[in-house]
Every structure is written in C-alpha cells, then in structure tokens.
Amino acid sequence: MRLGTVIGRVTMTLQEPIYKGGRVLLVQPLGRADIAALSNAKLQTQTAPKLANVSTLVAYDQLGADIGHIVGFTEGAEATAPFTADAPVDAYIACIVDQIDYNPPKS
C-alpha cells in the first residue's frame, strides 16, 4: 500500500456496472519528503493540494474520500481483490488516513 493525496474526480458518461456504489478519483502519490511534512498535521483539509512532478493515477473509491484527503491505495492485482467479478481497476483506495506519525531512523 502507498499513500497519496486526492487531487480530483473523474466523471464518466457511461459507467462500467462493476463501479456501481463508488467513484473514480485522481490520486497523486506521496514521497518520503511529503510524508515527513504531513507528519502530526491535521490531514483531512479540503484545500487544493500542491501538485508535484510525479505521475498521477486513477483509483476507485468506495469510502467517500474527497479532494485534499490523504488515502492509502493499492495497485495491480491487489486492487481487484475487493470485487467479486472481473474489474478493470488499476488502483483501489483502501483507507482514508487520519494521522501520520513518521519517525525516520537517524543516520
């Protein structure tokens, strides 16, 4: 599982039936420096996130995450595990993060 910030929503005119009950969000993965900056901060703000030079991914969400939330997501075959049938999903939002306690080892 990796951490990321929800930076947007995807709107579809036609929806695959397996997506019923959820929505598709844009998630920007967080790096080590981003996680350190968020440690012990209030995470669930609704402010526009800062964009970085990393690839953004599209993730399926059933939890109700919104723009600005920090989420945990899985990718690949693990992202299809919550579905009972074949699902065209590359990333799945598995949790909404409330708090990050990051204490890197001392060099």
Side-chain angles (χ1 to χ4, degrees):
M1 183 182 313
R2 294 174 34 188
L3 295 178
T5 304
V6 177
I7 61 169
R9 298 179 194 96
V10 176
T11 303
M12 298 176 272
T13 53
L14 295 175
Q15 186 180 49
E16 189 71 29
I18 197 81
Y19 291 152
K20 192 129 181 112
R23 59 187 175 167
V24 181
L25 301 174
L26 295 174
V27 176
Q28 179 177 302
L30 296 176
R32 184 181 305 187
D34 300 321
I35 293 170
L38 291 170
S39 184
N40 298 319
K42 183 179 178 193
L43 296 181
Q44 304 308 336
T45 61
Q46 297 297 321
T47 59
K50 174 186 78 163
L51 295 179
N53 291 331
V54 295
S55 297
T56 300
L57 56 97
V58 177
Y60 181 73
D61 172 51
Q62 290 180 309
L63 302 176
D66 206 356
I67 295 173
H69 284 172
I70 305 299
V71 295
F73 63 92
T74 59
E75 298 174 271
E78 291 82 13
T80 62
F83 298 93
T84 56
D86 289 340
V89 174
D90 288 332
Y92 179 83
I93 295 176
C95 67
I96 300 173
V97 177
D98 292 325
Q99 180 177 336
I100 296 174
D101 295 320
Y102 179 68
N103 298 307
K106 304 216 187 281
S107 331

